[in-house]
Amino acid sequence: MIKAIIFDLDDTLYDFKAAHRAGADAWAAYAREQFQLPEEQTRREIEALITEQAEKMGPIAASHNRVLRAELWLSKRNLPVFPHATALAERYWQTLLDAMVPQEGAVEMLRDLQMRGFLIGIGTNMTAYVQYKKIEKLGLGDIVDFIVTSEECGVDKPLRHFFKYSAKKANETLARAGRAERIEMNEILFVGDSVKHDLEGAHAVKMHALLFDPAGRHPEEEERIQRFAELPEVLMRLSAEM
């Protein structure tokens, strides 16, 4: 049976794309205020930076660091890094955090799982500080039993080490709580919005995986839900099959 459920954070428990747009707008507004640059052009440059930073740094948490992203943007523009790199990152993240709201039914679903005794984890790419701030903003701090970030474990999803590290941390969490049982890979369900980063990564280490697909973009995936209200039915089916 499933004993632990690990959720991706961005674009799973909240709409990252919408919050990111708000953050990018704040970055572009700062560029207009400080450097008289057109906002739409800055927005396009920000999106291009995402791919460039990831290619430059590889699948590690630093590839998501907004201070480093701001430094890259400022340098390409021949603009001063100080004090603007930190100012841009702070404005981006604060605006994003202010814009965040939980996905419909997410908090209720998590509280139900907590009451039913499941171990609840978050498994997320990105740096730890801002991911912890997101969990606080979403009001999930008293529900989540443990969190794994790519900064903590050293690599991004979908690399196998991320998922193995997540299972290890789940068992360490049980041990600290004085629970003698051990959770095996096939007793963990990983829920996320990405076929590549969440499903393929989890399957590679023999975890169960479930796609959160609210827009219905992946009808080819057998294991998927469009609403969190569907999760209990999936859990019942998985338990019956094991």
Side-chain angles (χ1 to χ4, degrees):
M1 63 182 293
I2 299 298
K3 296 180 180 178
I5 308 174
I6 304 175
F7 292 88
D8 171 54
L9 180 56
D10 300 300
D11 271 333
T12 297
L13 295 179
Y14 79 101
D15 186 343
F16 171 78
K17 292 182 181 66
H20 166 71
R21 284 194 295 271
D25 286 346
W27 181 317
Y30 183 96
R32 174 179 50 77
E33 295 162 9
Q34 297 293 323
F35 309 118
Q36 295 74 56
L37 294 173
E39 291 190 25
E40 188 54 42
Q41 180 179 346
T42 300
R43 290 188 192 93
R44 291 195 297 270
E45 291 173 357
I46 292 168
E47 296 310 308
L49 283 173
I50 296 172
T51 301
E52 184 175 347
Q53 188 182 15
E55 291 176 348
K56 179 181 179 181
M57 296 183 174
I60 58 173
S63 67
H64 309 281
N65 188 300
R66 296 315 193 262
V67 175
L68 297 179
R69 193 169 295 174
E71 178 192 19
L72 180 60
W73 179 76
L74 290 162
S75 298
K76 288 170 72 71
R77 278 247 171 215
N78 200 27
L79 296 168
V81 170
F82 297 100
H84 301 295
T86 54
L88 280 166
E90 288 166 3
R91 184 175 291 198
Y92 171 90
W93 281 127
Q94 190 56 60
T95 305
L96 183 146
L97 288 166
D98 289 343
M100 286 174 59
V101 293
Q103 294 278 16
E104 182 180 356
V107 176
E108 296 81 358
M109 173 269 303
L110 289 167
R111 292 204 180 279
D112 177 65
L113 295 175
Q114 182 185 47
M115 290 179 60
R116 293 166 60 186
F118 290 99
L119 192 71
I120 299 171
I122 300 288
T124 174
N125 291 343
M126 197 107 44
T127 52
Y129 177 80
V130 74
Q131 299 304 79
Y132 276 74
K133 294 293 287 185
K134 290 176 185 178
I135 290 169
E136 293 169 9
K137 174 62 167 57
L138 293 170
L140 306 179
D142 64 334
I143 305 174
V144 174
D145 296 301
F146 68 96
I147 174 173
V148 173
T149 65
S150 55
E151 182 178 31
E152 177 185 355
C153 76
V155 297
D156 270 1
K157 297 178 288 183
L159 295 184
R160 293 186 181 194
H161 177 68
F162 184 98
F163 295 89
K164 291 178 180 179
Y165 189 98
S166 298
K168 177 175 176 287
K169 195 161 186 180
N171 281 300
E172 290 172 349
T173 302
L174 284 178
R176 283 196 300 273
R179 294 167 63 177
E181 73 232 68
R182 178 175 177 79
I183 296 177
E184 303 298 333
M185 285 292 191
N186 66 351
E187 296 174 319
I188 298 173
L189 173 65
F190 201 101
V191 182
D193 69 290
S194 171
V195 173
K196 177 180 179 180
H197 292 99
D198 300 315
L199 270 65
E200 292 180 7
H203 284 150
V205 297
K206 309 304 182 185
M207 286 182 183
H208 292 276
L210 179 66
L211 182 69
F212 178 65
D213 183 27
R217 293 192 177 96
H218 296 280
E220 74 282 0
E221 293 295 328
E222 293 183 10
E223 296 295 345
R224 71 181 181 114
I225 57 173
Q226 292 186 257
R227 298 177 300 114
F228 282 119
E230 300 171 47
L231 184 55
E233 182 180 342
V234 174
L235 289 171
M236 286 179 60
R237 178 167 47 76
L238 287 175
S239 294
E241 293 172 356
M242 294 176 69

